[in-house]
């Protein structure tokens, strides 16, 4: 995971220097993505798109029957929605790791 996207993202550390933010974010990533959390995040990253694609496809199939556009719409909508959810989950994990790092760090 690229943590550069989180530089200047969190207000708790936005006022600090970039290299200091990078070090803190590396520590936050290590704190948040423990082996068990990484396994559950990986499962989440695989399961959520599948569920959204099947769910949207099923709803469209029931609503309009089978048409050639149903699988395409289900695939695109499912991937977009799941990508938003996965990004939000990753950001929440980084936020929790950041809080843990800042709580343990001397001020």
């Amino acid at each position: 995971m690229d943590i550069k996207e989180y530089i200047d993202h969190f207000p708790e550390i936005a006022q600090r220097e970039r290299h200091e933010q990078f070090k803190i974010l590396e520590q936050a990533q290590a704190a948040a993505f423990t082996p068990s959390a990484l396994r559950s995040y990986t499962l989440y990253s695989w399961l959520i798109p599948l569920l959204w694609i099947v769910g949207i496809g099923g709803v469209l199939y029931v609503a309009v029957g089978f048409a050639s556009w149903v699988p395409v719409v289900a695939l695109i909508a499912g991937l977009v929605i799941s990508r938003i959810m996965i990004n939000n989950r990753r950001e929440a994990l980084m936020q929790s790791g950041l809080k843990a790092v800042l709580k343990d760090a001397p001020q």
Side-chain angles (χ1 to χ4, degrees):
M1 180 177 79
D2 187 23
I3 60 173
K4 292 177 196 168
E5 64 184 280
Y6 292 113
I7 298 222
D8 294 330
H9 181 76
F10 296 112
E12 297 92 338
I13 60 170
Q15 74 281 0
R16 299 182 187 205
E17 295 290 326
R18 287 179 155 290
H19 69 278
E20 188 179 353
Q21 286 185 48
F22 191 80
K23 288 178 184 176
I24 292 171
L25 289 171
E26 282 181 332
Q27 294 171 355
Q29 181 182 16
F33 288 95
T34 60
S36 63
L38 188 58
R39 277 192 303 273
S40 64
Y41 176 75
T42 303
L43 179 64
Y44 181 83
S45 297
W46 280 96
L47 198 57
I48 288 297
L50 182 66
L51 292 175
W52 272 105
I53 293 168
V54 170
I56 292 172
V59 168
L60 287 174
Y61 180 75
V62 168
V64 298
F66 185 77
S68 61
W69 57 269
V70 168
V72 174
V73 170
L75 180 69
I76 292 172
L79 289 176
V80 168
I81 293 169
S82 64
R83 177 51 44 199
I84 292 168
M85 290 178 69
I86 291 167
N87 287 344
N88 288 341
R89 181 67 186 142
R90 186 177 67 227
E91 183 177 337
L93 283 170
M94 284 295 291
Q95 181 75 39
S96 68
L98 181 63
K99 285 182 182 179
V101 167
L102 292 177
K103 183 182 76 166
D104 294 338
Q107 296 296 327

